[in-house]
Amino acid sequence: MFNNLEISLIDLHTHTTASDGTFSPRELVKMAKDEGLEALAITDHDTTAGNAEAADAGREYDFEVVPGVEISADAPFGSQHIVGLYLNSDAEKMESALRELRDFRDKRNQKMIVLLEELGIPVTMAELQIEAGGDLVGRPHFAALLLKRGYVNTYQEAFEKYLKAGGKAYLDKKRLPADEAIQMIHDGGGISIIAHPYILRRKDEENFEKNIEYLVERGIQGIEVYYPEHSRGDEALFADLARRYDLLISGGTDFHGSIKPGVRLGRGYGTMDIPYECLDAIKEARS
Ligand code: AMP
Ligand code: ZN
Ligand code: FE
Ligand code: FE
């Protein structure tokens, strides 16, 4: 065995080729099983397209899979990702809203291709789609392609020069207002969770709690206490926040495969151990 049997490993935030992860849903479920995890949630950006394949793989490998999503939302204080767990497979209203985000993304990608071309960097949609190996093309695939073609020396340089907010080929994407994203998750039978709160705190420490309150007032149900970038101190801070605002505790590695090197499924940078009890409480809240 890889792991100490007393520690249950679960991972409630991961990406597949349905968005910008590098493993297919089936591969990810198999990896979770092989690495000794006990449960895995698939939370692709603005799409639920990977959930069906993951559920099939879960049945095949006798492994617990949680259908989810990570929605790019917009709040008065800036962008905030919101994870939804346990979505119904027939959450049609959500699918149509997410489709709108994806249509916007397609147009954004086309425009970014034009911007790059004007900078003397010709890339095509077909090449980006090969890079993505799945449905959704995003900035990580632009970065990977620019690196492969030698226009930059590192993946990070592609972001610094061209792709980060304010970069020469950057265009913003469309986000759903946070209250709509939360409501949509609830309408789809899901549990709504504040993703990676350390980012929100780092952006504006002074108003951090006020911003959490904004989401709480709009019905958010949980918060990611466990995340690779969270120190033990962060975990304690966010756990205290969860207690005070009566929020469910969640967490995950935000595994993306080779796009986020060094992060292991269920383990993050090696020190994560998300108690299975978190998932029990989330399941309890559904009923
Ligand atoms: P997109 O949804 O197309 O805007 O791409 C967002 C993804 O790009 C994020 O999930 C990150 O994986 C990646 N990303 C965004 N900003 C940076 C950055 N400054 N450096 C490296 N990766 C980034
Ligand atoms: Zn991503
Ligand atoms: Fe995120
Ligand atoms: Fe994520």
Side-chain angles (χ1 to χ4, degrees), residues 153-192:
N153 294 316
T154 63
Y155 178 86
Q156 201 50 45
E157 189 188 333
F159 272 92
E160 286 310 316
K161 275 199 175 148
Y162 303 108
L163 302 170
K164 71 175 183 189
K168 285 182 196 161
Y170 173 78
L171 290 173
D172 205 0
K173 64 185 168 190
K174 184 171 175 170
R175 300 178 185 84
L176 282 182
D179 49 353
E180 278 181 35
I182 293 167
Q183 192 55 48
M184 225 168 60
I185 289 168
H186 297 172
D187 289 346
I191 298 285
S192 57

Side-chain angles (χ1 to χ4, degrees), residues 13 45 70 81 195-196 254:
H13 185 155
H45 298 286
E70 180 177 23
H81 288 178
H196 37 66
D254 214 348

Side-chain angles (χ1 to χ4, degrees), residues 93-195:
K93 207 169 134 199
M94 176 153 70
E95 258 318 303
S96 68
L98 294 182
R99 200 170 306 124
E100 238 180 81
L101 296 186
R102 293 197 298 271
D103 289 348
F104 188 94
R105 180 186 279 280
D106 287 341
K107 290 188 199 115
R108 172 213 203 199
N109 288 336
Q110 296 290 357
K111 289 180 192 161
M112 284 176 64
I113 288 172
V114 172
L115 288 176
L116 283 169
E117 183 154 26
E118 285 167 5
L119 293 163
I121 301 176
V123 296
T124 65
M125 201 60 201
E127 290 170 311
L128 287 163
Q129 266 152 356
I130 291 169
E131 226 33 73
D135 298 334
L136 185 138
V137 170
R139 285 183 289 157
H141 309 118
F142 278 91
L145 185 58
L146 261 51
L147 176 61
K148 193 185 271 180
R149 292 280 211 74
Y151 289 113
V152 289
N153 294 316
T154 63
Y155 178 86
Q156 201 50 45
E157 189 188 333
F159 272 92
E160 286 310 316
K161 275 199 175 148
Y162 303 108
L163 302 170
K164 71 175 183 189
K168 285 182 196 161
Y170 173 78
L171 290 173
D172 205 0
K173 64 185 168 190
K174 184 171 175 170
R175 300 178 185 84
L176 282 182
D179 49 353
E180 278 181 35
I182 293 167
Q183 192 55 48
M184 225 168 60
I185 289 168
H186 297 172
D187 289 346
I191 298 285
S192 57
I193 292 163
I194 299 169

Side-chain angles (χ1 to χ4, degrees), residues 15 20 45 256:
H15 296 271
D20 55 358
H45 298 286
H256 278 74

